[in-house]
Amino acid sequence: MDQVNGSVVTEFVLLGLAQSLGMQSFLFLFFTLFYVGIILGNLFIVFTVIFDSHLHSPMYILLANLSLIDLGLSSTTVPRMISDLFSDCKIISFHNCMVQMFFIHVMGGVEMVLLIAMAYDRYTAICKPLHYLTIMSPQMCVLLIVAAWTIGMIHAVFQFVFVINLPFCGPNNVGSFYCDFPRVIKLACMDTYRLEFVVIANSGFISMGTFFFLIISYIFILVSVRKHSSKDLSKAFFTLSAHITVVVLFFIPCMFLYVWPFPTKSLDTFFSIVDFVVTPVLNPAIYTLRNRDMKVAMRRLSGKVISSR
């Protein structure tokens, strides 16, 4: 790899999350339980949507895709984070570092667009219920999912092409438990000020802009509902509160990581863990525990599984 990009650095050093054996054991148990929860929770949503015909609607198809993305995003970092806890030498090859960065931003970009699509779906369902089936047709749903993957790929490739050819010839300590564009760029043997700005603009400002756009859109939906019927406001707020919670959990860490990076590694690590570990395990809980159709569908699916034995 170093011969390909003209670099003498063939591997990077990752940051350890804990030094003491007791803390390592605690984090191992914590991350393992959460990762199992991420796998089971998100796959359960996917299988419930696939096998229950009552959930074959745009809202739940988008939710199933969001669950797959959460699982993929978490899988880019958490398994390695668990395996590195008891490792004295936390080394990642140049190739694996580049692959990890690429897929983190592909998944992050796709999730960003899916959350916008889900907001549009809720706007149509609440504000234009009579036209919902016409606007959110199966073709539109497929188009939104394809657009999400396309934009996610473009988002990742746009940054990746700048980083892959950078000369790395000196320090190789990433300063985090995973590889990411802002940290790796700083290790290049050249002035990277412009590239750092590109990353901030591509990941940070887009995250911040999308966050405020989504929050304003949800407020607009609630205001529109209130104008027509104050009685339906509480019902609409209950429906949208799950979406708002997911948006906050996803975008707040992104904004702090890319727009206002913390000088202390502990806070930076905290927000990274929230993004890769906490949010992907909370999303299934938020959408299933607060959604009557999902709870009914899960009971039906559980009943079929039990009766088939």
Side-chain angles (χ1 to χ4, degrees):
M1 178 63 69
D2 56 329
Q3 293 175 350
V4 173
N5 69 353
S7 167
V8 296
V9 171
T10 58
E11 56 189 25
F12 293 100
V13 179
L14 298 177
L15 178 71
L17 291 175
Q19 301 297 326
S20 66
L21 183 61
M23 182 56 70
Q24 288 173 343
S25 301
F26 169 77
L27 290 177
F28 176 81
L29 182 62
F30 175 82
F31 291 140
T32 301
L33 288 175
F34 266 64
Y35 188 57
V36 171
I38 290 168
I39 294 172
L40 295 179
N42 286 289
L43 286 182
F44 194 58
I45 286 181
V46 173
F47 288 131
T48 302
V49 172
I50 290 174
F51 292 110
D52 195 306
S53 59
H54 298 85
L55 299 181
H56 291 176
S57 64
M59 174 183 174
Y60 296 108
I61 292 171
L62 292 172
L63 175 58
N65 278 272
L66 181 68
S67 293
L68 280 176
I69 293 300
D70 276 337
L71 179 57
L73 184 63
S74 180
S75 298
T76 58
T77 56
V78 178
R80 182 175 185 98
M81 184 167 57
I82 294 172
S83 65
D84 279 347
L85 280 172
F86 297 103
S87 174
D88 294 328
C89 191
K90 298 168 179 59
I91 300 295
I92 184 170
S93 69
F94 183 92
H95 176 266
N96 288 340
C97 183
M98 295 295 123
V99 170
Q100 186 180 59
M101 288 192 298
F102 180 76
F103 279 105
I104 284 173
H105 284 265
V106 169
M107 299 296 173
V110 174
E111 179 153 353
M112 197 178 298
V113 181
L114 281 177
L115 290 172
I116 295 173
M118 293 175 76
Y120 179 67
D121 174 79
R122 289 301 84 203
Y123 163 76
T124 307
I126 294 172
C127 298
K128 298 183 178 181
L130 297 178
H131 303 284
Y132 177 75
L133 294 177
T134 304
I135 297 173
M136 291 301 296
S137 62
Q139 293 82 2
M140 174 60 74
C141 191
V142 171
L143 181 63
L144 289 172
I145 294 169
V146 171
W149 278 99
T150 303
I151 293 172
M153 290 291 292
I154 294 171
H155 165 73
V157 169
F158 183 76
Q159 298 177 95
F160 188 73
V161 293
F162 289 107
V163 179
I164 190 67
N165 291 315
L166 286 176
F168 295 97
C169 55
N172 65 342
N173 194 322
V174 176
S176 181
F177 62 86
Y178 70 102
C179 289
D180 202 359
F181 288 124
R183 299 174 184 86
V184 173
I185 284 174
K186 291 180 179 179
L187 301 177
C189 302
M190 60 175 288
D191 182 10
T192 58
Y193 175 78
R194 291 183 180 179
L195 283 180
E196 289 177 46
F197 179 77
V198 168
V199 170
I200 290 174
N202 195 284
S203 296
F205 293 155
I206 290 176
S207 297
M208 187 168 61
T210 305
F211 171 74
F212 286 116
F213 170 77
L214 287 170
I215 295 299
I216 291 170
S217 68
Y218 287 131
I219 293 172
F220 174 78
I221 293 172
L222 293 173
V223 170
S224 299
V225 172
R226 188 175 182 275
K227 286 180 180 179
H228 290 89
S229 173
S230 57
K231 195 167 33 177
D232 293 334
L233 181 62
S234 58
K235 183 180 178 181
F237 181 78
F238 181 82
T239 302
L240 294 179
S241 59
H243 294 262
I244 294 170
T245 304
V246 170
V247 166
V248 170
L249 285 171
F250 177 74
F251 282 103
I252 292 298
C254 287
M255 288 191 290
F256 278 113
L257 289 171
Y258 295 108
V259 182
W260 301 294
F262 284 100
T264 56
K265 291 180 180 178
S266 57
L267 287 171
D268 188 74
T269 301
F270 169 77
F271 279 106
S272 298
I273 291 173
V274 169
D275 230 9
F276 293 116
V277 182
V278 179
T279 301
V281 81
L282 285 180
N283 283 357
I286 291 169
Y287 280 117
T288 54
L289 296 178
R290 297 179 61 85
N291 188 296
R292 184 177 61 85
D293 292 337
M294 282 297 300
K295 287 189 284 188
V296 171
M298 286 190 293
R299 283 196 292 267
R300 276 198 299 262
L301 185 62
S302 301
K304 288 180 182 178
V305 172
I306 294 172
S307 62
S308 64
R309 289 182 176 178

